[in-house]
Amino acid sequence: MTAVDNTLLADLQMRGLVNQMTSPEDLAEHLQESRVLYCGFDPTADSLHIGSLVPLLVLRRFQQAGHKPLALVGGATGMIGDPSFKAQERKLNTVDIIAQWVDRLKKQVSAFIEFNDHGNSAEVVNNYDWTKNVDVLTFLRDVGKHFSVSAMIQKESVKQRLDRDGEGISFTEFAYIILQSFDFSELYKQYNCSLQIGGSDQWGNITGGIDLTRRQHRAQVFGLTLPLVTKSDGTKFGKTESGTIWLDAKKTSQYAFYQFWINTADADVYKFLRFFTFLSEAEMVAIEEQDKAAQGKPQAQGVLAAEVTRLVHGEEGLQAALRISESLFSGQLEQLTGDDLQQLFLDGMPASDTQQAELTLVQVLVESGLAKSNKMAREFITNNAVSINGEKISEVDAVLSPASGLHGQYHVIKRGKKLFHLLRWA
RNA sequence: GGUGGGGUUCCCGAGUGGCCAAAGGGAUCAGACUGUAAAUCUGACGCGUAAGCUUCGGUGGUUCGAAUCCACCUCCCACCA
């Protein structure tokens, strides 16, 4: 057996990562030995987004403390759709699509946990494996019989949906909790898994599984939920003007990912350090105090962005993100060499090639996506929001050609304070 | 299956024949101020340089004119069965 770090719970609490636990004293006692725990990830898209980062990292924290993590990919539950705290019934995705997504998620999830740790290697499991062959009658008799509908409709996670005018819930979604509960019970049976973690919205589903496991196997298992990540200004965490922040570099470049964290508000950044990094409490406190003393621009955002980008995209991904960020925000674009610019291309900076001999600035803005329409492009130019190679441009009919570019080939177009696009002339 | 209520621009939500590209709020974007913050102020927010064009679940109708009226279809909700 692997040695167990029994300060784990205290560390999680220090980080603010514990929302609720079932029987806290018993759980603390239980975790004195190496245990098996799981967390589920449903395929609702072709990639996970940063909303899943907290549970993924907590799985890792458990593994580092000597426990064995199972990352469950919801091949079965993903076909149903979790209604928990969702305002509306969701559209079902096709079976093919879900199967593709499951494959993607398996890979993604795997990056956060270790598979060759001797005593407590991680495993990825798919609930489709034990759900696909259960026939309806068996399911209703052996599993469904343990659930009381009156208890299920009391669950806070579906209550608001039931109470809300203009919305309802199908039996399919209503039955979701039974499927997830069945997972916990099965994992207990197959792996002796005795703890499920998840977001705070999963409390109802987790306690459902605990009850089912007790009824089917007369076993005491545990649940722990993590807090919902909230921002001080009340807006939703994980979204920017350009949409969701994904963990897949093809959907959100390392650069964009890094920038997302750099832009964390002061009011949130110290909390996020605790949630999303493995820095020790002492290190984090030191950062906070230095920032307070310094008065100027805090360093916390930079630390957070670097740590999280490294966790998700590796050291190389971080370096790429840093190269782009430093080039663009240093304000010294003219000092970039041709090689530097070439590297930005490779690093995943938003960029495009053109074969044209010349382009109007309005065209460039629209084609690069920096402006949604010609009208908006003109508006940006007149508002002084656009600069090229570091120089503000305010002529609506400006025209670009290779000759005016850096090294006769590149234009760095900036719209607003933070959005860039690199244009290369072929 | 029956009865009733709904589907408005990214979201919420007004609008019941012309004054409606459609109130108001939120979100978002830009500028000023800054630290690639926060707060605040200003402006933008269907497309089009403009004339104008395309929108209010879908199709077809009534009308000089429809998001608004009618018919059918479709989806959602509530109650009843």
Side-chain angles (χ1 to χ4, degrees):
Chain A
M1 260 309 139
T2 325
V4 170
D5 175 0
N6 52 25
T7 64
L8 174 66
L9 273 183
D11 181 65
L12 292 179
Q13 256 153 349
M14 175 280 286
R15 291 176 183 277
L17 280 171
V18 178
N19 184 59
Q20 293 188 88
M21 298 183 257
T22 55
S23 32
E25 295 83 20
D26 294 347
L27 178 57
E29 172 70 29
H30 186 71
L31 292 175
Q32 299 294 313
E33 282 178 42
S34 178
R35 304 292 182 180
V36 180
L37 76 152
Y38 100 92
C39 180
F41 302 91
D42 271 2
T44 54
D46 59 357
S47 166
L48 294 172
H49 51 82
I50 54 174
S52 301
L53 207 47
V54 170
L56 279 170
L57 295 177
V58 171
L59 275 185
R60 185 190 180 104
R61 294 178 205 280
F62 268 91
Q63 186 170 35
Q64 288 182 352
H67 305 282
K68 176 185 176 77
L70 304 176
L72 179 149
V73 173
T77 36
M79 294 216 267
I80 303 305
D82 186 357
S84 298
F85 300 100
K86 301 282 188 322
Q88 296 184 320
E89 181 89 10
R90 285 189 292 173
K91 227 182 85 208
L92 293 174
N93 292 302
T94 67
V95 175
D96 287 354
I97 299 249
I98 293 170
Q100 284 174 29
W101 291 353
V102 163
D103 285 340
R104 306 276 289 263
L105 294 207
K106 277 185 180 168
K107 283 187 201 122
Q108 258 184 354
V109 152
S110 304
F112 293 88
I113 39 188
E114 293 294 327
F115 292 86
N116 48 11
D117 262 17
H118 312 287
N120 57 332
S121 287
E123 288 187 49
V124 175
V125 297
N126 182 351
N127 56 15
Y128 185 70
D129 293 341
W130 57 82
T131 310
K132 63 182 172 194
N133 292 324
V134 179
D135 67 274
V136 201
L137 292 178
T138 308
F139 183 73
L140 290 177
R141 286 180 66 93
D142 295 355
V143 183
K145 195 69 176 169
H146 295 295
F147 287 83
S148 137
V149 168
S150 51
M152 285 164 72
I153 59 178
Q154 296 298 328
K155 297 261 180 193
E156 204 51 48
S157 47
V158 293
K159 210 160 185 253
Q160 44 184 230
R161 173 92 156 264
L162 294 168
D163 290 348
R164 187 173 165 164
D165 275 351
E167 294 296 340
I169 186 167
S170 66
F171 175 72
T172 304
E173 282 198 9
F174 186 60
Y176 182 92
I177 183 175
I178 302 183
L179 267 193
Q180 184 167 332
S181 299
F182 182 54
D183 288 344
F184 200 175
S185 183
E186 269 305 291
L187 288 174
Y188 170 77
K189 194 171 91 187
Q190 295 182 25
Y191 292 88
N192 195 28
C193 174
S194 54
L195 171 66
Q196 180 180 177
I197 65 170
S200 55
D201 58 335
Q202 293 300 306
W203 182 254
N205 293 335
I206 292 174
T207 52
I210 292 174
D211 288 340
L212 181 65
T213 308
R214 188 180 57 244
R215 288 175 181 148
Q216 287 192 316
H217 306 294
R218 303 221 186 143
Q220 158 88 313
V221 291
F222 301 88
L224 185 154
T225 58
L226 312 171
L228 185 70
V229 180
T230 55
K231 296 204 295 180
S232 54
D233 62 3
T235 58
K236 201 170 184 228
F237 171 76
K239 302 269 183 184
T240 65
E241 62 276 11
S242 43
T244 305
I245 304 295
W246 303 93
L247 299 187
D248 185 342
K250 288 195 199 79
K251 291 169 74 84
T252 299
S253 71
Q254 296 99 326
Y255 161 71
F257 188 85
Y258 178 87
Q259 284 293 318
F260 169 79
W261 295 102
I262 277 286
N263 283 300
T264 305
D266 291 3
D268 297 319
V269 70
Y270 304 101
K271 178 171 83 174
F272 286 4
L273 278 176
R274 287 172 170 76
F275 279 12
F276 295 102
T277 75
F278 286 80
L279 298 177
S280 70
E281 184 174 20
E283 290 171 293
M284 294 187 289
V285 168
I287 291 169
E288 188 163 0
E289 285 183 350
Q290 279 172 34
D291 283 347
K292 226 176 266 166
Q295 305 245 332
K297 186 181 173 180
Q299 56 173 323
Q301 279 87 345
V303 175
L304 175 68
E307 290 291 321
V308 184
T309 306
R310 190 185 292 117
L311 275 169
V312 175
H313 294 298
E315 187 61 36
E316 263 183 53
L318 170 60
Q319 291 309 322
L322 283 171
R323 275 195 295 273
I324 300 177
S325 299
E326 278 163 17
S327 309
L328 296 180
F329 290 98
S330 67
Q332 315 229 307
L333 294 170
E334 65 285 352
Q335 291 182 9
L336 293 171
T337 65
D339 282 349
D340 288 342
L341 289 159
Q342 193 61 37
Q343 185 61 45
L344 295 187
F345 242 83
L346 300 175
D347 284 345
M349 151 146 197
S352 62
D353 282 303
T354 181
Q355 254 91 66
Q356 305 295 313
E358 59 173 40
L359 287 168
T360 66
L361 181 52
V362 170
Q363 277 178 315
V364 172
L365 287 169
V366 172
E367 280 167 25
S368 64
L370 291 178
K372 279 204 189 88
S373 64
N374 292 356
K375 195 176 168 182
M376 288 306 267
R378 277 188 214 98
E379 191 187 312
F380 285 136
I381 298 170
T382 19
N383 280 351
N384 251 326
V386 178
S387 63
I388 294 171
N389 294 338
E391 264 180 76
K392 286 273 181 204
I393 304 289
S394 49
E395 298 90 55
V396 177
D397 43 13
V399 175
L400 303 186
S401 64
S404 64
L406 295 169
H407 308 285
Q409 208 185 354
Y410 298 98
H411 281 102
V412 177
I413 299 119
K414 177 179 172 191
R415 189 217 82 197
K417 292 191 179 93
K418 301 174 192 173
L419 280 183
F420 292 88
H421 186 90
L422 181 57
L423 177 70
R424 179 166 64 179
W425 303 84

